[in-house]
Amino acid sequence: MSKKEFTRSAAALERAQQVLVGGVNSPVRAFASVGGQPLFIERARGAWITDVDGNDYLDLVLSYGPMILGHGHPAVLQAVEQAVARGFSYGATAEGEIALAEMIVAAFAPIDKVRFVNSGTEAVLSAIRLARAYTGKDKIIKFAGCYHGHMDALLVAAGSGLATLSLPGSRGVPQAAVSNTLVANYNDADSVARLLTQHDDVAAIILEPVAGNMGVVPPTEDFIAALHKLAREHETLIIADEVMTGFRAQFGGAYELVGLQPDIVCLGKVIGGGFPVGAYGARLDIMDLVAPLGPVYQAGTLSGNPVAMAAGLATLSELQRQNPYKKFAERTAALKDTIEQAAGKAGVAVTVNAFGSMISPFFAAEKVVDFATAQTSDRERYATFFWQMIHQGVFLPPSQFEAWFLSTALDDELFAGLQEKTYRAILNLTK
Ligand SMILES: *Cc1c(COP(=O)(O)O)cnc(C)c1O
């Protein structure tokens, strides 16, 4: 295994740190939990991402989810080029917004109407406002380890970024901003029932239908069934935060695959094809509360941006055409096998969770079903593994608690190579 050189990357870090906080624009990119020199990227194409030193990596970060077709997919590139030529932003509705909304409405049974925003964070904060307006209640139940963007009210027990940095939440969030936030445990319906008994003014339960921000943690059937029963009894809405899972495990949401029936759905990541897009949607009696039809104000100068809409539309059209989902699931199952075999041989404790095109090997002895069990993982071991993979030319998330993603650009040969490298890196852990 030839060690990579990071000369130019080191210079870029030095320069970046002078003018960007920590040298980055989102904390996980600083590699705090794996240590060492963070990557500085020159370009990306297909399954590959290339750093400023010219090192190529198979990319399993995929911009933390959006790049499901790999980088620079020709159909998306062409759509974006054509859109750019027609102007960058209009401040009035264009047909691309209608077409992308139609595609989302057709793919999501719980959604009759959509509002586009610019990020997952914005989608969630708007959905929460809407749920409060619809129910006339103020409190929100979230789950420890689920991340819903960086809005004040939900920066409590919020998964990967915070878990990685071991922050209790965030400074600068006033107590009042989180006083209506209640935290339950994922896969633990009793913890939700207790909160609903203690508080009679819960507007919504928000969850990732398959958690991805404490590493991948699928829900149990019983948990989902109990949530429905509780939501009905307490007249509380269910918000499915599908920002990560939307169009990742099937053409539509993960909610359907786990048997969840949400009232409001949040989207982001894949629906923008790599451009800044978020969306929230629901049935008519909920959505028609949003301005201009209703009293819930929510707006955005660049919302529904024509270039971003074109990228999203081309990405979803290509996914619909290729229907890669069965293959994704087969591959994550195969990769899980590889990891378990290598770990068995090396005598390394590992537990692998996978769902659709998302997978997380936790270096933990017990099954990972919630935030507490995710926290039993050996993060130092993950860091060692991460660097073994970097030096073999594979870019994994620089945190034990971020999901790995597959893209359609990973062909059979590259996937076989990924399996081999993963196997080797795990065997090396005990050397
Ligand atoms: C990424 C993510 C968000 C936040 O989206 P941004 O576009 O980063 O604001 C919200 N919820 C979930 C589940 C996410 O994975």
Side-chain angles (χ1 to χ4, degrees):
M1 177 164 60
S2 64
K3 285 250 170 187
K4 303 267 187 244
E5 287 291 330
F6 296 114
T7 323
R8 286 185 72 117
S9 300
L13 176 61
E14 178 95 13
R15 219 179 117 204
Q17 280 174 334
Q18 303 302 314
V19 286
L20 297 171
V21 182
V24 296
N25 281 304
S26 201
V28 71
R29 299 177 197 171
F31 283 25
S33 78
V34 293
Q37 166 69 47
L39 295 195
F40 282 79
I41 303 305
E42 161 102 17
R43 72 192 117 84
R45 190 44 80 93
W48 298 94
I49 193 160
T50 306
D51 71 16
V52 293
D53 284 292
N55 300 309
D56 295 320
Y57 308 90
L58 275 182
D59 186 9
L60 275 78
V61 177
L62 296 171
S63 191
Y64 295 90
M67 309 314 305
I68 192 166
L69 300 176
H71 297 282
H73 188 283
V76 183
L77 187 59
Q78 189 188 21
V80 167
E81 283 172 355
Q82 287 171 352
V84 167
R86 291 192 299 268
F88 307 160
S89 183
Y90 308 135
T93 304
E95 282 184 341
E97 292 158 75
I98 310 170
L100 187 56
E102 284 170 345
M103 203 167 242
I104 290 170
V105 167
F108 281 78
I111 301 183
D112 292 326
K113 282 185 187 171
V114 179
R115 169 61 61 82
F116 288 113
V117 292
N118 303 292
S119 68
T121 297
E122 249 191 277
V124 170
L125 78 86
S126 310
I128 299 272
R129 183 179 301 151
L130 183 54
R132 285 172 166 159
Y134 184 83
T135 57
K137 302 177 191 181
D138 286 343
K139 293 210 162 60
I140 301 293
I141 293 179
K142 80 171 290 280
F143 294 94
C146 282
Y147 177 67
H148 303 291
H150 68 89
M151 73 177 283
D152 280 0
L154 294 181
L155 269 187
V156 185
S160 58
L162 297 166
T164 296
L165 295 173
S166 299
L167 298 178
S170 170
R171 287 281 286 273
V173 174
Q175 190 53 41
V178 293
S179 62
N180 284 312
T181 308
L182 309 168
V183 181
N185 294 322
Y186 205 78
N187 278 325
D188 176 1
D190 289 345
S191 70
V192 179
R194 275 196 299 278
L195 292 174
L196 286 168
T197 309
Q198 288 160 9
H199 304 272
D200 60 5
D201 56 343
V202 175
I205 301 167
I206 183 167
L207 76 158
E208 295 178 67
V210 173
N213 284 289
M214 48 180 147
V216 178
V217 180
T220 65
E221 245 172 75
D222 291 352
F223 172 59
I224 296 291
L227 278 189
H228 280 142
K229 190 157 166 288
L230 288 166
R232 228 179 2 256
E233 283 169 11
H234 293 268
E235 295 180 355
T236 293
L237 299 185
I238 294 180
I239 303 175
D241 181 351
E242 298 251 13
V243 170
M244 182 184 291
T245 50
F247 295 99
R248 266 236 154 251
Q250 69 161 348
F251 192 83
Y255 73 91
E256 202 177 3
L257 301 172
V258 302
L260 184 70
Q261 292 168 313
D263 298 286
I264 305 178
V265 178
C266 301
L267 291 166
K269 297 191 171 126
V270 168
I271 65 159
F275 286 77
V277 181
Y280 61 103
R283 56 180 189 266
L284 295 185
D285 65 324
I286 299 177
M287 281 315 275
D288 285 351
L289 286 179
V290 177
L293 291 185
V296 178
Y297 191 71
Q298 186 274 305
T301 302
L302 293 175
S303 294
N305 175 268
V307 181
M309 294 292 109
L313 197 56
T315 298
L316 295 194
S317 304
E318 192 58 26
L319 284 173
Q320 202 163 35
R321 195 183 68 73
Q322 290 191 23
N323 192 12
Y325 296 104
K326 189 162 163 274
K327 186 146 195 184
F328 279 152
E330 285 166 8
R331 283 201 169 153
T332 49
L335 195 53
K336 176 174 153 73
D337 249 23
T338 303
I339 293 166
E340 286 171 350
Q341 276 176 29
K345 192 159 178 212
V348 167
V350 77
T351 174
V352 188
N353 289 348
F355 194 88
S357 54
M358 296 157 52
I359 182 167
S360 287
F362 297 92
F363 290 109
E366 49 180 317
K367 277 183 89 145
V368 173
V369 296
D370 59 11
F371 192 50
T373 43
Q375 291 294 301
T376 66
S377 309
D378 184 341
R379 299 171 208 196
E380 271 177 44
R381 183 157 267 174
Y382 183 84
T384 308
F385 172 69
F386 169 87
W387 283 107
Q388 296 260 7
M389 293 298 275
I390 283 285
H391 287 291
Q392 292 188 94
V394 180
F395 182 30
L396 297 177
S399 163
Q400 168 74 86
F401 306 111
E402 299 281 354
W404 307 5
F405 297 106
L406 299 185
S407 80
T408 57
L410 199 65
D411 65 20
D412 289 342
E413 195 184 328
L414 292 176
F415 181 69
L418 172 68
Q419 283 181 294
E420 260 170 53
K421 288 168 181 174
T422 306
Y423 192 89
R424 200 176 310 144
I426 289 176
L427 285 190
N428 272 340
L429 286 174
T430 47
K431 283 186 189 146

